[in-house]
Amino acid sequence: MSQKPRDRLSRVKTGASSRYSGAIEESESLRLSQAVHEAAVSWYHRAARDLPWRRQDCSAWGVLVSETMLQQTPVARVLPRWEEWMRRWPTPHETAKAPVAEILTVWDRLGYPRRALRLQQTAAAIVEHHDGQVPSTRDELRALPGVGEYTAAAVACFAFGVPEVVVDTNIRRVHTRVFSGHALPGKTYTAQQRRLAHDVFPDPEHDCGQFACAWNIAVMELGALVCTARAPQCGACPVAELCTWRRAGFPPPTEEQKPRGQAWAGTDRQVRGALMAALRCGPAQRSVLIASLPLPAADLDQRHRCLESLLTDGLAEQRGDQVALPGVLR
DNA sequence: AAGCCGGGGCT
DNA sequence: AGCCCAGGCTT
C-alpha cells in the first residue's frame, strides 16, 4: 500500500454533534467524554507544535522513525537526529543497507542505542516481508522488532489514519486526571487503565476514524505541553472546567503513584554510554578505551563487564585487541 | 510484576 | 547538585 497524505487530522471539523451515532441515551460519563473530545481536539488545532513528522508530506517511515526516537527522548533532542536520519535514509530500503556503524553514529546521544539497531532490523523486515512499505495494521506493526503496543498503535493511527487506541504515559496521565481524579497514573500500565482508554475513545466509525485519530494526538500533545507531570498549567488547559482531578481539589499523588527516581551516576548505563561515545569517535585499543573513559571512579571490572555487554548486544565488535563499532574492523 | 536500558535539561 | 523523565524487552 502506498503512503497516504497525512493532512486528515488538520481537516477534522469540530463542533458537529452527529459524531456519536450510537448514542441513544447518553450517560453522564459519555457526555463528559464527548465534551472533553471537543475541547481537546479544538485546542490541538490551535496550539499544536509544527513538527516535521506531523506534516502531511511525511512518509509512514518518517513517522515510524520519529516514534522510535521519541520513545525515550524529548522532542528537542530528537529533531536534529530525525532530520539527519531521514536525509540519509529516507526509506526502509536505504536504512536496511546502511552500515551499522553509521546507524549508531547518526543515532548519536539519543540513548538506548539498541533501539537504533532494532530500527534498522525493522527496516530490513519491512523490505523482506512487506515489499519495502511500512505496514498499516496494528498487528503487522507489532510484529516488528522494537515496535510494542504503543508504537504499533501510534504508527497505524498517525501514518495511516487507522483509529487505534493509542496509550502512552502522557495519555495515561491526562486520562487519570481528567476522568479518574488522581494526580498520577502509577508506574505500571494496568488493565483498568487500558479499559479507561477504550471507554473514553471516540466512536472509531465516525468520520472514517479521523476524529478518533485527532483525539489520540490531541491528548498526547495536551499531556506534553499543558497537563505535564510536575507542574500542570491548568490555566492554559482546554478541559480544566471538566477535569475531575481539578474539581476534587488536586489531591496529591499517593506514595504508590510517585515515580521512582532512576539512579544514574555509577550505573552500567552510564558506563555503556561513555563507551559508546568513545567508540563513535573511532576504533580503539581495548585497554586504552577502558582506561580513558571520562568517568570519575575507576571500576575496571564494571568497565570490562559493560564492554562485554555491548559486544553481546551487537553494539560493538572486537578483533584482537582492537574494539570498534560493528563492521569497522576487518 | 519488576528490572534493565541513556542522557540531558530544569529546578 | 539533585530531580525528573518513557517504551520495549527480558526474566
Side-chain angles (χ1 to χ4, degrees):
Chain A
M1 133 183 279
S2 68
Q3 290 155 2
K4 299 173 183 174
R6 297 183 57 252
D7 57 344
R8 58 186 76 77
L9 296 190
S10 61
R11 283 207 305 255
V12 170
K13 295 187 184 69
T14 58
S17 60
S18 60
R19 184 162 294 133
Y20 307 94
S21 52
I24 295 172
E25 196 178 66
E26 295 182 352
S27 68
E28 196 60 31
S29 65
L30 180 56
R31 209 189 309 278
L32 170 63
S33 68
Q34 288 179 9
V36 174
H37 295 161
E38 299 296 342
V41 171
S42 171
W43 169 85
Y44 179 80
H45 293 313
R46 297 193 305 273
R49 293 166 290 181
D50 175 28
L51 301 173
W53 45 84
R54 290 178 180 170
R55 293 201 279 259
Q56 57 198 55
D57 62 344
C58 181
S59 67
W61 175 244
V63 174
L64 178 51
V65 172
S66 78
E67 289 300 343
T68 302
M69 291 179 168
L70 288 165
Q71 280 169 7
Q72 74 273 359
T73 309
V75 165
R77 243 191 298 166
V78 164
L79 272 169
R81 299 297 90 215
W82 183 87
E83 297 281 4
E84 174 69 3
W85 186 292
M86 295 305 293
R87 188 182 68 73
R88 297 173 72 131
W89 310 304
T91 67
H93 185 72
E94 291 161 88
T95 308
K97 287 190 309 183
V100 176
E102 286 185 31
I103 292 282
L104 293 171
T105 301
V106 170
W107 190 262
D108 196 37
R109 296 177 165 238
L110 288 182
Y112 302 117
R114 292 191 294 195
R115 294 173 188 231
L117 251 35
R118 293 196 189 112
L119 186 54
Q120 188 179 35
Q121 291 159 5
T122 273
I126 288 171
V127 168
E128 183 173 356
H129 300 302
H130 300 283
D131 197 28
Q133 304 297 310
V134 177
S136 61
T137 69
R138 187 178 52 81
D139 288 344
E140 289 172 307
L141 288 160
R142 183 65 183 77
L144 298 169
V147 177
E149 182 174 337
Y150 161 75
T151 304
V155 172
C157 183
F158 303 146
F160 297 102
V162 181
E164 298 288 352
V165 178
V166 176
V167 183
D168 71 347
T169 58
N170 280 327
I171 290 176
R172 284 206 295 139
R173 185 174 58 253
V174 175
H175 286 173
T176 297
R177 285 175 177 168
V178 173
F179 296 112
S180 302
H182 304 301
L184 292 171
K187 294 144 195 149
T188 56
Y189 183 32
T190 64
Q192 279 177 335
Q193 289 173 7
R194 182 182 281 102
R195 207 176 313 124
L196 174 61
H198 280 82
D199 287 346
V200 302
F201 199 65
D203 178 6
E205 299 291 313
H206 172 81
D207 214 13
C208 298
Q210 289 180 39
F211 188 78
C213 284
W215 163 250
N216 281 330
I217 193 74
V219 175
M220 200 177 308
E221 190 77 340
L222 191 58
L225 296 184
V226 175
C227 194
T228 54
R230 254 205 301 186
Q233 299 164 50
C234 302
C237 180
V239 301
E241 299 302 320
L242 303 166
C243 178
T244 309
W245 185 47
R246 182 170 175 270
R247 290 194 303 203
F250 302 111
T254 66
E255 216 46 46
E256 191 65 34
Q257 291 164 353
K258 287 182 183 172
R260 286 211 330 266
Q262 236 185 20
W264 169 241
T267 61
D268 284 4
R269 293 192 333 284
Q270 185 188 32
V271 175
R272 284 168 55 103
L275 286 166
M276 288 300 294
L279 290 173
R280 270 187 242 112
C281 298
Q285 195 179 345
R286 177 166 177 140
S287 56
V288 173
L289 174 69
I290 291 288
S292 65
L293 295 186
L295 295 174
D299 184 334
L300 289 185
D301 279 350
Q302 183 188 30
R303 295 177 181 207
H304 281 288
R305 179 161 42 77
C306 287
L307 180 52
E308 288 304 321
S309 74
L310 293 179
L311 296 168
T312 300
D313 288 347
L315 289 164
E317 251 177 29
Q318 182 166 356
R319 295 276 188 281
D321 67 347
Q322 291 291 112
V323 187
L325 295 179
V328 171
L329 303 171
R330 267 184 309 94

